[in-house]
Amino acid sequence: MKNAIVGQSGGPTSVINASLAGVFEAAHERGAEHVYGMVHGIKGLLEERYIDMSEKLHGALDIELLKRTPSSYLGSCRYKLPEVDAPDAKPVYEKIMALLKKLNIGYFFYIGGNDSMDTINKLAMYGKQVGSDIRFIGVPKTIDNDLCVTDHTPGYGSAAKYIGTVMKEIIRDATVYGTNYVTIVEIMGRNAGWLTAAAALAKSEDCEGVDMICLPEVPFNVDRFVEKVKRMQAQKASVVIAVSEGVKLEDGRYVCELADDVHAVDAFGHKALTGTARFLANTVARALNTKTRSIELSTLQRCAGHLTSRTDITEAYQVGGAAVKAAFEGHTGEMVAIKRLSNAPYQCTTELHPISEVANLEKKVPLEWVNADHTQMLPAFIEYALPLIQAELTPIYVSGLPHHIYLDDRKL
């Protein structure tokens, strides 16, 4: 029987380890003697850094801890494989295939988002070229929820739950003094505004909700933004706004670039985005002579394991198992996707799609889910997002704090 290997890549989530647990358990149940884990993804594999996960996970309690531990247990990377037909590509792919042969790998799983699916796509293409029988399957994850073909991605529901919760708390805090105050909250989202849209979940019978939501799907105009804030503050003293870190001007520049901050670029050419809320808060303060505050949720929105959605963690585990089932049944070069069957009651199943339909593509928030003046989400979005944040999975507490399992790669 062939062995399996699994890696985690890109930005972590609070439920990515549930997918890892799903792959690990399902592969063992289907007869894989060894399930290896790449330490820091494909980059770590190229450095021959991997573990036998059976030597690290001992019994049901470790699996349960793994499912409830946020971030990537195996470590992650942002490493771009060369194009398969590039002049310098052959040695890289030959090394990967040699390592997989050495470990007797028949099944390769990669848990990640757009860029990770690019890795699976390239490996499957190369494997086909050289006649390899290894099955390459993508397991979806990303808090950004921007993967095509899947209704939603594991990781998004928990991040949305965190954002909705935190926005309610910020709104309550922002109103205590009754004085003029503008609070601008910066939420992750480079080109797709799914996370920022989740701020709309704060509105309920016990909360008036945010006053404005700014998505990257809608071209941003700083002067119009200030004018909207002015009109809102004429109606109420405290204004709370959710803005995506990736909002762009009509000329394509990110708003955060107006702050003249230095923005590094990663291996995939993505600029590091930060400072949008700070720039806008300073701009509003100068223009309207009002107190302002900027808040960046930053990595908190992706690692808040104490606010994990039970729906989310269950689906994350299920897509891991579905990926193993697909690989053991002979599929390769595909990604597991979630297909929604109904909202009431909420029901989903899994299906497979070619990686080529996913890699390097982005799913945007439908503009028909945004109101006419681009400040609020419409009921269609709430109906879409609300089932994904339902129920809770309480962490395992030790000495009053959540208990996690982690891999100390310094000892490897």
Side-chain angles (χ1 to χ4, degrees):
M1 172 62 74
K2 295 281 189 177
N3 298 320
I5 192 166
V6 57
Q8 298 169 305
S9 182
T13 81
S14 65
V15 301
I16 188 173
N17 289 329
S19 293
L20 180 63
V23 169
F24 176 75
E25 290 204 301
H28 271 310
E29 288 172 2
R30 287 183 173 264
E33 183 178 357
H34 298 281
V35 180
Y36 294 99
M38 300 172 233
V39 178
H40 297 296
I42 193 69
K43 183 177 185 291
L45 181 64
L46 281 164
E47 298 167 352
E48 299 192 45
R49 303 184 69 201
Y50 52 84
I51 61 168
D52 187 334
M53 291 181 60
S54 297
E55 297 176 358
K56 303 294 181 180
L57 301 175
H58 307 289
L61 179 58
D62 280 354
I63 294 296
E64 198 58 39
L65 278 173
L66 180 64
K67 290 165 65 176
R68 298 179 193 221
T69 295
S71 193
S72 305
Y73 172 77
L74 292 171
S76 187
C77 69
R78 293 192 185 277
Y79 183 84
K80 187 176 181 66
L81 285 174
E83 298 299 324
V84 174
D85 56 357
D88 59 344
K90 190 174 181 181
V92 175
Y93 289 100
E94 285 182 341
K95 182 174 183 178
I96 292 172
M97 299 305 286
L99 286 168
L100 298 181
K101 182 178 181 181
K102 172 185 171 182
L103 296 173
N104 191 32
I105 299 299
Y107 313 99
F108 185 108
F109 306 98
Y110 215 41
I111 308 169
N114 306 76
D115 297 331
S116 305
M117 295 309 123
D118 175 73
T119 297
I120 282 286
N121 192 38
K122 289 171 178 174
L123 290 172
M125 288 171 58
Y126 184 80
K128 184 177 181 180
Q129 282 185 12
V130 299
S132 172
D133 61 355
I134 299 174
R135 307 302 179 190
F136 297 95
I137 298 290
V139 184
K141 76 85 206 170
T142 174
I143 63 169
D144 294 319
N145 199 39
D146 59 353
L147 287 184
C148 294
V149 309
T150 186
D151 178 81
H152 57 278
T153 51
Y156 175 66
S158 294
K161 188 181 186 80
Y162 175 83
I163 290 165
T165 300
V166 169
M167 293 308 300
K168 290 187 72 170
E169 294 168 345
I170 289 172
I171 291 165
R172 292 277 61 80
D173 179 87
T175 59
V176 295
Y177 295 114
T179 56
N180 282 2
Y181 217 128
V182 177
T183 304
I184 303 178
V185 184
E186 181 177 321
I187 299 174
M188 284 182 173
R190 178 176 302 276
N191 298 315
W194 295 100
L195 287 169
T196 309
L201 296 169
K203 186 175 184 178
S204 55
E205 61 179 342
D206 64 329
C207 182
E208 58 272 45
V210 297
D211 298 289
M212 192 191 319
I213 294 174
C214 303
L215 307 179
E217 285 84 352
V218 180
F220 193 90
N221 183 288
V222 176
D223 292 335
R224 284 201 295 268
F225 172 80
V226 172
E227 186 58 33
K228 285 180 180 179
V229 175
K230 182 179 181 180
R231 290 199 303 268
M232 289 176 178
Q233 201 163 52
Q235 301 297 319
K236 54 181 297 194
S238 176
V239 175
V240 178
I241 298 166
V243 59
S244 170
E245 64 181 1
V247 287
K248 302 182 191 69
L249 304 172
E250 292 183 356
D251 63 10
R253 286 178 298 158
Y254 291 106
V255 169
C256 62
E257 294 182 80
L258 299 177
D260 295 326
D261 291 339
V262 176
H263 297 276
V265 177
D266 68 15
F268 290 85
H270 305 318
K271 288 183 179 179
L273 304 181
T274 185
T276 302
R278 184 173 64 251
F279 170 77
L280 292 175
N282 290 338
T283 301
V284 168
R286 288 192 298 267
L288 303 184
N289 192 29
T290 183
K291 288 185 177 181
T292 63
R293 170 175 57 173
S294 66
I295 300 171
E296 289 187 27
L297 299 188
S298 189
T299 55
L300 296 173
Q301 58 208 293
R302 72 186 190 194
C303 67
H306 61 290
L307 277 175
T308 296
S309 153
R310 183 181 287 272
T311 298
D312 193 25
I313 203 167
T314 300
E315 292 180 343
Y317 182 81
Q318 289 172 341
V319 296
V324 171
K325 179 178 183 292
F328 275 70
E329 291 178 354
H331 292 270
T332 189
E334 294 179 289
M335 186 193 81
V336 177
I338 297 173
K339 180 180 180 180
R340 189 178 305 216
L341 303 177
S342 65
N343 273 338
Y346 173 68
Q347 291 182 316
C348 282
T349 187
T350 59
E351 58 186 7
L352 295 170
H353 285 268
I355 285 289
S356 58
E357 297 179 4
V358 185
N360 301 311
L361 301 172
E362 288 179 309
K363 178 179 69 178
K364 305 293 184 68
V365 176
L367 290 182
E368 59 265 29
W369 289 1
V370 185
N371 68 354
D373 63 355
H374 302 139
T375 57
Q376 294 291 345
M377 305 307 298
L378 295 175
F381 170 78
I382 304 299
E383 292 168 6
Y384 166 84
L386 205 56
L388 310 183
I389 69 170
Q390 295 307 305
E392 293 72 43
L393 188 70
T394 304
I396 296 172
Y397 284 93
V398 175
S399 300
L401 295 173
H403 192 65
H404 297 155
I405 186 171
Y406 77 101
L407 182 68
D408 189 349
D409 61 4
R410 296 171 299 177
K411 299 178 180 179
L412 299 178

